[in-house]
Amino acid sequence: MALARAGAPAVNKAETVVTNADAYSGDDASAYSVEQIAQVCHAATRALQEISGEPASPVWGRMPTEQRASVMAAVALAQQGTPPDALHRAWCQHQRSQGWRWGPVRDEQAKRSPNLVAYCRLPAEQRMRDTVVYAIVRAMSGG
């Protein structure tokens, strides 16, 4: 299955998904732990990375503890209704506090990431990913 390069219309469609996810109020949604939701979000992110031809992040069990904790912190914020742009700001602050800086390509060793920019400067595809992850959190959290 091919994925077309995401543009503004795709982001708008993803935002519609968020609206629909926010309306979900299934009785069993609260049965998921923050870690379980984080694992689903991470798996979705890995799949989108692979589809777009990017190097995929390691599987959940092989990620460093600090990275797993970062994903779980984002899930907890999203459960409180923190929107994708604010989640991105929080992620940037955390990454910078860990010594990460902007770089044209992601480099784990040098701690560089092209995503350390304002949310509005992220590529549409990355904003779409953030919105999809937010929708997953909201749907699995019953909110």
Side-chain angles (χ1 to χ4, degrees):
M1 176 174 115
L3 177 70
R5 178 108 178 116
V11 172
N12 290 339
K13 288 179 185 174
E15 288 168 357
T16 300
V17 170
V18 172
T19 302
N20 294 338
D22 286 342
Y24 176 75
S25 60
D27 293 334
D28 61 346
S30 63
Y32 299 108
S33 71
V34 168
E35 184 169 8
Q36 288 171 320
I37 296 170
Q39 287 180 31
V40 171
C41 290
H42 181 68
T45 298
R46 278 180 45 79
L48 291 169
Q49 288 170 331
E50 290 172 358
I51 289 168
S52 67
E54 295 176 42
S57 299
V59 295
W60 184 260
R62 293 192 177 148
M63 281 176 53
T65 303
E66 177 186 306
Q67 286 180 349
R68 287 194 308 266
S70 176
V71 176
M72 288 187 285
V75 166
L77 285 173
Q79 286 178 319
Q80 297 169 18
T82 305
D85 61 328
L87 290 172
H88 180 72
R89 280 193 303 277
W91 175 82
C92 286
Q93 288 173 341
H94 173 76
Q95 292 300 94
R96 287 186 180 109
S97 76
Q98 300 300 309
W100 283 77
R101 300 292 174 252
W102 181 88
V105 295
R106 184 171 177 85
D107 183 332
E108 296 281 332
Q109 297 298 326
K111 292 190 172 187
R112 300 287 185 258
S113 172
N115 293 330
L116 280 169
V117 296
Y119 188 77
C120 64
R121 293 186 58 210
L122 284 173
E125 188 173 271
Q126 183 62 46
R127 292 191 312 270
M128 181 188 67
R129 272 186 220 159
D130 292 347
T131 303
V132 167
V133 166
Y134 179 78
I136 290 169
V137 172
R138 301 299 293 164
M140 291 184 74
S141 301

